[in-house]
Each structure stands twice: as C-alpha cells, then as structure tokens.
Amino acid sequence: MDYAELVGLYEALGGMSKRLGKTFLISRILKKAKKDELEQLCLLVQGRIFPVWDERKIGVASKIVVKALVSTCGVSAQAVEVEWRKRGDLGLVAEALLKRRRQNTLFSETLSVKKVFSNLQKLPDMEGKGAVDRKLALICELLSSASPLEARYLVGNVVETLRLGVADGTLRDAIVWAFLEPAIVYDEDSCSIEVEDRDGYNALLGKVQSAFDTVNDWGEVARIAKEEKVAGLLKVQPRIGKPLKVMLYPKAKDVEDAFSIVGRPAAFEFKYDGFRIQVHVGKGIRLFTRRLEEVTVQFPDVVRAVESSVNGKNLVLDAEVIGIDVKKGGFLPFQSISQRIRRKYDIEMMAEKFPVEVHFFDILIENGKSVMEKGFKERRVLLKRVVSEKKGSIRLAEQCVTDDVKIAEEFYERALKAGQEGVMAKNLEGIYKPGSRVGYGVKIKPVMETLDVVILGGEWGEGKRSGWITSLLVGVREGDGFLAIGKVGTGLKELEGEELTFAEVTELLRPLVVSEEGKVVKVEPKVIIEVAFEEIQKSPTYESGFALRFPRVRRLRDDRGVKDMSTLDDLKRLFDQQ
Ligand code: AMP
C-alpha cells in the first residue's frame, strides 16, 4: 500500500469528528490492505509504531528532524527554525519547505507504508557511536521520496505527535466492519448506522475485544478476523512475553453485598496496597504493570525472587508488589515504592532501599497453556503448586474461603489491622477475563471520609525526620475555639514530589509556633489540611471526645481558613452516619 493512501486517511480523520465516521474511514482502508500490511496499518492508524506494551519509543529529538530537513531541502538550520517559530509544528514546516523545493525537483520514488514503517522501527534500536547519523540517514531517505503532504505526516510519525483521535474502541469496530460482515447499514451523510440485530452486532464487538484483551495487538486481531473470522478469534491464545490486560474488580459495599455478587462460599483475600504486576516466566522473566508497561529492569530483586521461588516453565502470574517496612516490620503504603516504577538509574540501590514482597493471587498460563477458563478455586491450586513461599520475597495472597458473614468480616478486620486496604472477594468458579470488570471478583474497602482540620501542634521529628514537625495534632472548630481529634503524620512525604512534604508543612508552621516543651510544639491554629480516615471513634484521649481511625494527610487546604473548616458538628454528623 502506498503511504499516500495512509496520508489520505490521516487527512480524512483530521476532518472527521464523529466516531462512526472515523470507524468507516478506517474500515475502508483495512479492507484494502494486504494480510501482511495489517499489523503496520493498525499501529499507524493510531499514530504508533510499537504496541502499548512495547516500551520502545522512536526517541528522535526534534533537532534531528531539523537536521534532516536541512539536508533534504537544502536550506539552513536558521531557515528551518524561522519556519518552525512561524508555524509551531515541525510537520507543517516540512510540508512548506518541501513544497518550495519540489518546484525544482521531481521526487524519486513512491513511498510505501512498508518502507516508512520499517525505517521508523529501526530508529529506537540505534545507540552508540554514529547513531545520530544513521537515524538521520533513515529519516532523510523517507523525506527525499515524500510529497510535501506526506512529509508533514512523516514528521508527525517520527516525533510521535500525530493526534488522530482513534481510540481502541474505534479500531475494534472498524475491524468488525471490515472483516466480519455485521448486519449494519452505514449512512455516509449522517455518519450513523442502522443495526439490524443489536445483540448479534454486540457479540461480534465483544469477540474482537476479548481477542484484543488477550494479545493486545490490533494488527494480530485484524489479521485473524480477516483470515479466520470469528472461529479464529475464539481460539486466540495469550502468549508468554506479551502482556494481557488484567482482570478488574468492581466494588462491593460490604461483605453481604460481596456474597450477593460473587456467590457463596467465596474466597476472601487481603487487598494489598501495592501495585499490580504481571509476571511472565518464559525464556526469561518479564514483568509488566497493569498498564502493560514493562518494568523488568526496574525490579531485578523481583526477577531474582521469581527465579528462585517460582517453579515451572512458561507461566503467567498475577500479583501485587508491596513495599516492606524493614525497620518496623509490616508493609509500607504504595507511595513509598511508587518511585521504583519509573526509576532509570541506581536501580540496585533502590531495590535495597525499598525492598518489596510479591504476593501472587492468580495464574493465567501454566505450562504454556491458558488456564483462564478454569474456575478460580482450581487456579489457586495450580498457583500454590508453582509458588514456593519465602518470607520477605515471595508469598501467596492471604486467603480465607467461607460462606459465613462473620468469618468474612473478621478476615476483613484482620486485613485492615495488618495495614492493608481491605479485601477482595472472589467467585470460586469465576474464570479469568482479561480487561474486564465482570464481577467474578469484587473489592471491599472502607469508604474514606475527609475532614478539613486545623493543625494545633506537633512534635519535632528524630533521626531522618529531625528538623521537621511531625505527628501533627489536628482539631475541628467549635465556636471560636478548636478541639483536638487526633495526631496524623501518615500521608506526608519525606521526599519532594507532587505531594505535600514534612518540610513544606514545617515551613508553614515555623512562624506560628507559640510554645515548645521538649519536642512538643504548639502552633497558632492557622494551617488547614484535609485528612482522610476510615472511621470516627468515641475516645477520651482528645478534647473533642472523638478520635480518627487510620487518619492520613491528603493535601493542604490553603484555599480554606478557620471559618470554613470542619466543625465539631460536622464530625458528629459523620459519626452518626457511620
Ligand atoms: P482497585 O485498584 O482499588 O480497583 O483494586 C484492584 C487492585 O487491587 C488490583 O488491580 C490489584 O492491583 C490490587 N490487589 C491487591 N490485592 C489483591 C488480590 N488479593 N487480588 C486481586 N487484586 C489485588
């Protein structure tokens, strides 16, 4: 297929705001494509070169594109910069410059989608000496064969800035329209469809979607839909090394509600407060997040743990990674390990500083075969077989199978006491459905209420926290006065980032200090913070007569003053509602 044809689609998509209109345009080009062009086309239609789960990025800086334009169009770098400032988009610059140049030359050959794709795919792997020159050569080769309009989109492809507005759902529908002959009639004028058999149509969409959720690759799904139709889609198997979308869990109100959704008996599990990881054990071990990003490099400690404690070959497992609190025992909240996910350097040092434990809770592929169609109870047996637990590195999710509300509630209490977020309740016969929130499992966690409280004092910290006011005493307003409701330190960060830090709070409080006794500080009640908590309890400890259970600082409410902060009445009202 000529690249010009794709560019035609890009142009048409740019002028089309309606989703069904886009679907139609895409389905038309998919129909025309040859089998071996589908993969490239499905990616390029979304402005991609690599699927979501492939962490490679083209990684070409704008300045390389500027150089390429200098060399292809025979103009100076300044001339390119001037145009760039004027037009604000390098693609438009390329188009304008090529238009001028084309008046004097004929372009050499027709660009094909295949050629463009193959040159673009070579870009990210180039590293080391001479890499810039080789990248430049690949881009120049394309530009010199491009028409001005093609050049505009080529540059967009290279710097990955095409905004085509083609969501996964649109591509899915286009695949159905192109290859599965749905009973619909499309009206080009109004960009609308008439559906003869709604259920049948939805079933086709569902089949394409679930094939995609399993392989995460529209190109592959399109190829199967074209060649093998629905029968082929139903046979799609996940592959080790290619992440699957994870199954999601809707929320249940409480244990009773959970039983009514997932059935009785059910498997209750701790809901760990970490981040989800999909572990692929194939030729090597690879780790993916719930957003399908690969994080193998960031977690060498997890790779080693899996190597030594997971038995069996060709597996895909589902787990939660949690930070462990080496000093106090127990676990750390998610925020403390979140920095490891994107870390690019000092990785071993981070692994040592923020050690983690992996808690496995499901198995999707065993011995190279999908076990997603088996019931959860059976999968748990398989999971137990492959995971050898080792404290401090590899565990199975804590589980309790019961049909008794009281036992389930006690288990839930135990999870909260252990510092976890709540529990999951899972249907024992439920299959594993990638990408969906089907209700084979639900989560139960306490609804966090919040209050805007004033800081009344705190304690000077020690050790790592010296120099900071920690353990903040907070209170609600009652008339013109303030009544303490508890101490809170959780939620404040030690390191600078987007969230509120101890250092920032200390700087706000320092000028307000009215007295200091030992490490205890009292401050003028001026600084308001939002505090979330799980429950309000009656308590003689504080003047208000109440205390907050598991309070955590959410953010500074510098938009609020003492007049519009929470009052004792607000607190009582929340208490009565519990
Ligand atoms: P939420 O993020 O609140 O929608 O809750 C679902 C998430 O809880 C999952 O995506 C997992 O990351 C996490 N999780 C923690 N423990 C478990 C468990 N035992 N089973 C399933 N998911 C769990």
Side-chain angles (χ1 to χ4, degrees):
M1 181 178 285
D2 287 349
Y3 184 61
E5 189 129 10
L6 178 65
V7 166
L9 173 73
Y10 283 160
E11 281 278 284
L13 286 173
M16 171 59 73
S17 58
K18 297 206 167 122
R19 196 178 95 87
L20 292 177
K22 288 185 180 177
T23 308
F24 174 71
L25 294 168
I26 298 168
S27 71
R28 218 169 40 178
I29 202 167
L30 291 181
K31 253 190 211 166
K32 270 197 204 160
K34 295 200 199 83
K35 181 178 107 184
D36 61 349
E37 290 168 338
L38 280 172
E39 184 199 342
Q40 304 161 359
L41 214 51
C42 284
L43 287 166
L44 288 167
V45 153
Q46 290 190 309
R48 297 179 167 282
I49 303 298
F50 302 105
V52 224
W53 46 268
D54 193 324
E55 90 275 34
R56 279 177 298 172
K57 295 267 171 298
I58 294 186
V60 168
S62 309
K63 68 173 192 288
I64 297 188
V65 175
V66 171
K67 274 192 182 165
L69 289 173
V70 167
S71 117
T72 328
C73 305
V75 289
S76 66
Q78 286 90 323
V80 180
E81 305 268 349
V82 168
E83 283 288 332
W84 193 5
R85 243 171 281 138
K86 193 163 101 194
R87 301 177 192 272
D89 175 271
L90 264 184
L92 294 174
V93 175
E95 184 178 14
L97 292 176
L98 256 86
K99 242 184 216 157
R100 273 178 233 160
R101 180 175 153 77
R102 287 286 177 256
Q103 287 163 356
N104 314 322
T105 52
L106 281 175
F107 43 103
S108 44
E109 63 179 290
T110 320
L111 264 184
S112 67
V113 168
K114 204 165 167 185
K115 176 70 190 163
V116 171
F117 193 81
S118 108
N119 276 24
L120 294 181
Q121 265 214 325
K122 284 182 201 145
L123 290 169
D125 295 330
M126 293 188 170
E127 272 172 25
K129 212 166 150 244
V132 169
D133 288 339
R134 275 178 287 144
K135 285 185 185 188
L136 202 55
L138 286 171
I139 301 170
C140 287
E141 187 190 8
L142 296 177
L143 281 175
S144 60
S145 310
S147 72
L149 188 62
E150 286 169 354
R152 173 164 128 205
Y153 286 100
L154 257 177
V155 168
N157 281 138
V158 171
V159 290
E160 296 183 278
T161 52
L162 291 183
R163 299 279 168 265
L164 302 157
V166 177
D168 280 342
T170 311
L171 201 46
R172 173 199 61 203
D173 295 7
I175 291 172
V176 171
W177 294 18
F179 305 123
L180 301 178
E181 290 152 28
I184 55 169
V185 183
Y186 176 70
D187 177 50
E188 238 177 290
D189 293 332
S190 61
C191 300
S192 61
I193 49 170
E194 238 173 71
V195 185
E196 276 170 32
D197 167 14
R198 180 59 65 183
D199 290 345
Y201 180 52
N202 285 344
L204 285 180
L205 298 179
K207 280 171 190 138
V208 171
Q209 182 70 47
S210 44
F212 175 70
D213 290 341
T214 309
V215 293
N216 275 298
D217 187 333
W218 285 120
E220 186 171 349
V221 173
R223 194 179 40 69
I224 296 169
K226 179 182 169 86
E227 298 210 299
E228 303 169 45
K229 308 289 170 193
V230 170
L233 292 172
L234 292 176
K235 280 194 294 203
V236 164
Q237 285 290 317
R239 236 153 301 128
I240 293 167
K242 253 192 186 184
L244 292 91
K245 286 220 185 121
V246 297
M247 182 157 78
L248 302 167
Y249 310 91
K251 199 166 177 194
K253 270 208 309 286
D254 49 28
V255 165
E256 290 270 13
D257 188 34
F259 272 129
S260 71
I261 301 170
V262 303
R264 246 178 235 254
F268 287 83
E269 289 180 359
F270 276 18
K271 180 179 188 319
Y272 300 98
D273 181 17
F275 74 95
R276 193 157 181 176
I277 202 161
Q278 197 174 80
V279 179
H280 288 235
V281 183
K283 283 202 193 85
I285 289 161
R286 297 178 72 178
L287 313 173
F288 299 93
T289 67
R290 137 190 196 151
R291 296 175 57 207
L292 315 183
E293 288 161 335
E294 181 155 9
V295 287
T296 313
V297 174
Q298 286 84 341
F299 292 90
D301 45 341
V302 172
V303 171
R304 287 191 290 268
V306 171
E307 246 158 19
S308 69
S309 303
V310 173
N311 322 304
K313 273 263 155 270
N314 302 322
L315 308 166
V316 173
L317 308 173
D318 208 349
E320 189 84 354
V321 172
I322 323 155
I324 37 189
D325 190 337
V326 195
K327 280 205 194 107
K328 297 198 202 117
F331 299 112
L332 292 170
F334 166 67
Q335 286 87 341
S336 56
I337 53 161
S338 62
Q339 37 180 324
R340 286 196 58 186
I341 301 175
R342 299 204 185 290
R343 190 76 176 201
K344 296 232 156 58
Y345 51 94
D346 289 344
I347 284 176
E348 288 290 353
M349 187 267 281
M350 290 297 279
E352 213 166 289
K353 197 163 163 203
F354 299 103
V356 295
E357 205 171 63
V358 186
H359 287 234
F360 286 100
F361 56 78
D362 219 324
I363 177 163
L364 287 64
I365 299 185
E366 191 227 8
N367 224 342
K369 290 214 183 69
S370 165
V371 290
M372 293 188 287
E373 292 297 319
K374 294 186 192 291
F376 177 62
K377 191 166 73 183
E378 225 180 307
R379 295 203 305 279
R380 171 85 182 188
V381 174
L382 298 175
L383 184 65
K384 259 187 165 159
R385 212 184 284 157
V386 298
V387 172
S388 312
E389 292 196 83
K390 191 168 164 214
K391 197 166 183 307
S393 72
I394 298 270
R395 307 301 287 264
L396 282 166
E398 183 93 22
Q399 198 188 66
C400 158
V401 176
T402 182
D403 58 0
D404 187 301
V405 172
K406 204 152 160 269
I407 294 176
E409 274 170 355
E410 277 164 16
F411 186 74
Y412 181 26
E413 268 299 302
R414 191 146 75 78
L416 294 179
K417 278 217 184 88
Q420 300 309 341
E421 268 191 292
V423 288
M424 312 295 297
K426 300 181 181 178
N427 178 329
L428 292 172
E429 309 307 327
I431 60 168
Y432 191 101
K433 206 138 175 24
S436 27
R437 215 177 273 281
V438 266
Y440 294 131
V442 292
K443 57 192 174 207
I444 317 173
K445 51 182 182 183
V447 190
M448 285 279 215
E449 293 289 355
T450 62
L451 284 169
D452 295 323
V453 294
V454 71
I455 303 176
L456 300 168
E459 287 172 21
W460 287 109
E462 287 169 355
K464 258 198 321 188
R465 295 188 175 176
S466 65
W468 294 335
I469 299 179
T470 61
S471 199
L472 306 173
L473 181 72
V474 295
V476 289
R477 184 166 58 80
E478 164 69 343
D480 291 334
F482 303 93
L483 299 172
I485 51 162
K487 287 184 181 165
V488 55
T490 314
L492 287 175
K493 302 285 167 294
E494 290 179 355
L495 297 172
E496 255 180 75
E498 280 163 23
E499 288 161 288
L500 192 60
T501 59
F502 283 107
E504 283 168 289
V505 171
T506 305
E507 284 328 301
L508 289 171
L509 295 178
R510 209 186 285 280
L512 303 176
V513 172
V514 287
S515 73
E516 285 187 48
E517 238 185 87
K519 54 181 187 165
V520 179
V521 193
K522 281 201 179 129
V523 299
E524 266 181 72
K526 287 243 163 79
V527 179
I528 316 281
I529 50 175
E530 182 181 295
V531 168
F533 52 91
E534 268 159 28
E535 211 184 359
I536 301 168
Q537 290 172 324
K538 284 221 158 147
S539 157
T541 318
Y542 301 106
E543 304 135 16
S544 63
F546 294 97
L548 303 179
R549 197 154 164 256
F550 297 132
R552 93 182 354 255
V553 180
R554 285 266 282 262
R555 58 190 170 131
L556 191 66
R557 291 299 316 238
D558 40 4
D559 54 332
R560 296 211 160 195
V562 288
K563 283 216 179 69
D564 45 7
M565 64 174 285
S566 304
T567 61
L568 186 63
D569 282 345
D570 295 330
L571 184 68
K572 284 184 178 156
R573 195 168 30 78
L574 285 176
F575 178 76
D576 290 339
Q577 280 168 9
Q578 280 177 176

